[in-house]
Amino acid sequence: MFLFHGVITHFMQAEMLKEITDLSEEELERKRAIGSITTKTLSYLTQAFVTGGFNWILPVVFSKATDPLWPDPQASIEKRVEVEIYGREVRAMQSMIVHKITACSLLYGRLFTLSPNIRIERRDRAATGIHAYEFTQLDFEVRHASSRDIMKLVEDLLCGLIAHLRVEAKEELKLLGRDLSVPERPFRIYEVTGNEKEFCWVVNMPREFYDFEDFDTGKWDNYDLYLPGFGEVLSGSRREYEYQKIISKMERDGVRKESYKALLELAKSGRIKPTAGAGIGVERLIAWICGSKHVCEVQPFPRIPGFVGEL
Ligand code: ASP
Ligand code: MG
């Protein structure tokens, strides 16, 4: 999709804003093909994690301790959903990063979840084609893993998925006019920006307190994965686990320490283990697979920034 500086064209508005109740039979057929690819993708990925010894944990929606999404130059949140329940202030989940680190330290050395994330993006993000105000993250974490371990795991996972879908979703891909090929490994690594035409990693981005920062060199041990002709589909890092570093980053960044009491107490007593992980934007991955113009096309009930439908 080609958009000019965030302007939403009439074409896009008309196409994007359709709920399933408004779709033509032809559009419904496309939606069904995407749904079938979604089922096959989730089935493949969850199976791969389970086979790889990962524990599947159920998601949390309301919590005191959600991803601050700050400071992150890419974030564009216009509102944080905060509600009071049982006399306590909680937020709608922006990502389960704190829960992943905690559970990976205390419970399971390898875990993943399919987690609904609520991010009330600024309205101009409707035009990027890759933002939705509710989406699902396939979020995972591994104790004592390095960045390289996670990158290799992701590369193998995605190459395996593409090879699988080429065979198992042949009909659907044909209907969608999509021809996928398995990329070469390892993917290239860039600092700052990558090459739009290939699978590539972008590393070393200053952002939230939980990503590992080397205070001596100023380098960040984190990574985003970009898909060709699409954009970012995954972000992750090696994590901070030392109390003093976490506290000093929270203070530096103006992050509310009272929201992360459990994490801070565990870190203080040395119970947070070194971990690394990442999260895949499920709708983004499927939109790329299907060649969709907008992530909302792969959502049965579109969640486009700025547009609240009837369903
Ligand atoms: N899931 C990401 C991570 O594991 C955090 C995010 O949602 O941006 O680092
Ligand atoms: Mg992030």
Side-chain angles (χ1 to χ4, degrees), residues 7-17:
V7 175
I8 302 170
T9 63
H10 291 301
F11 164 76
M12 263 190 74
Q13 273 207 5
E15 287 302 300
M16 281 182 2
L17 295 180

Side-chain angles (χ1 to χ4, degrees), residues 44-285:
Y44 180 89
L45 294 175
T46 53
Q47 191 59 39
F49 276 111
V50 171
T51 309
F54 284 71
N55 281 271
W56 190 342
I57 65 168
L58 294 173
V60 166
V61 172
F62 287 117
S63 174
K64 296 189 79 66
T66 191
D67 192 332
L69 299 179
W70 172 265
D72 178 354
Q74 297 209 30
S76 60
I77 301 301
E78 80 169 43
K79 177 180 188 153
R80 276 152 171 98
V81 177
E82 281 177 329
V83 286
E84 189 222 283
I85 52 172
Y86 310 116
R88 302 199 81 192
E89 287 292 331
V90 291
R91 281 184 172 181
M93 191 58 69
Q94 300 191 129
S95 101
M96 280 180 61
I97 184 67
V98 175
H99 300 78
K100 285 200 305 174
I101 295 173
T102 307
C104 195
S105 296
L106 301 184
L107 286 173
Y108 313 115
R110 294 168 164 247
L111 62 87
F112 75 100
T113 182
L114 279 166
S115 162
N117 287 185
I118 315 294
R119 300 186 183 179
I120 311 302
E121 304 280 354
R122 286 197 320 257
R123 292 143 217 247
D124 61 356
R125 291 275 163 133
T128 63
I130 60 170
H131 288 88
Y133 67 85
E134 285 182 33
F135 67 97
T136 301
Q137 194 164 191
L138 177 47
D139 225 350
F140 62 95
E141 199 71 18
V142 181
R143 199 185 291 162
H144 300 308
S146 68
S147 290
R148 198 52 242 169
D149 295 334
I150 301 295
M151 288 158 112
K152 175 155 191 330
L153 184 153
V154 168
E155 290 174 3
D156 291 345
L157 191 66
L158 291 188
C159 290
L161 172 68
I162 294 167
H164 176 79
L165 292 177
R166 275 172 60 86
V167 178
E168 300 299 329
K170 209 176 177 161
E171 288 306 311
E172 296 90 324
L173 290 168
K174 198 170 142 201
L175 189 143
L176 297 167
R178 198 70 175 140
D179 188 18
L180 300 178
S181 45
V182 180
E184 274 184 31
R185 278 164 280 180
F187 305 163
R188 278 217 197 93
I189 300 175
Y190 296 91
E191 298 212 5
V192 194
T193 49
N195 174 354
E196 271 185 23
K197 295 206 173 81
E198 62 183 2
F199 284 75
C200 67
W201 295 101
V202 176
V203 298
N204 185 22
M205 295 149 289
R207 56 189 183 200
E208 290 90 349
F209 71 84
Y210 51 80
D211 282 12
F212 191 92
E213 179 184 0
D214 186 327
F215 280 179
D216 295 328
T217 62
K219 291 229 173 200
W220 291 69
D221 194 1
N222 54 17
Y223 35 85
D224 281 1
L225 178 67
Y226 282 71
L227 299 179
F230 187 82
E232 188 232 305
V233 71
L234 165 149
S235 79
S237 74
R238 177 155 74 97
R239 313 301 182 186
E240 299 288 4
Y241 60 96
E242 286 173 33
Y243 177 73
Q244 273 311 329
K245 277 188 85 182
I246 297 175
I247 279 282
S248 72
K249 290 173 87 177
M250 285 181 172
E251 285 172 357
R252 177 186 73 187
D253 301 341
V255 168
R256 302 198 294 208
K257 282 183 278 186
E258 57 287 9
S259 300
Y260 304 99
K261 267 192 191 154
L263 179 76
L264 288 169
E265 271 166 33
L266 285 170
K268 198 170 191 174
S269 55
R271 297 181 74 204
I272 295 294
K273 307 252 166 65
T275 67
I280 299 172
V282 171
E283 290 87 341
R284 286 187 182 180
L285 177 61

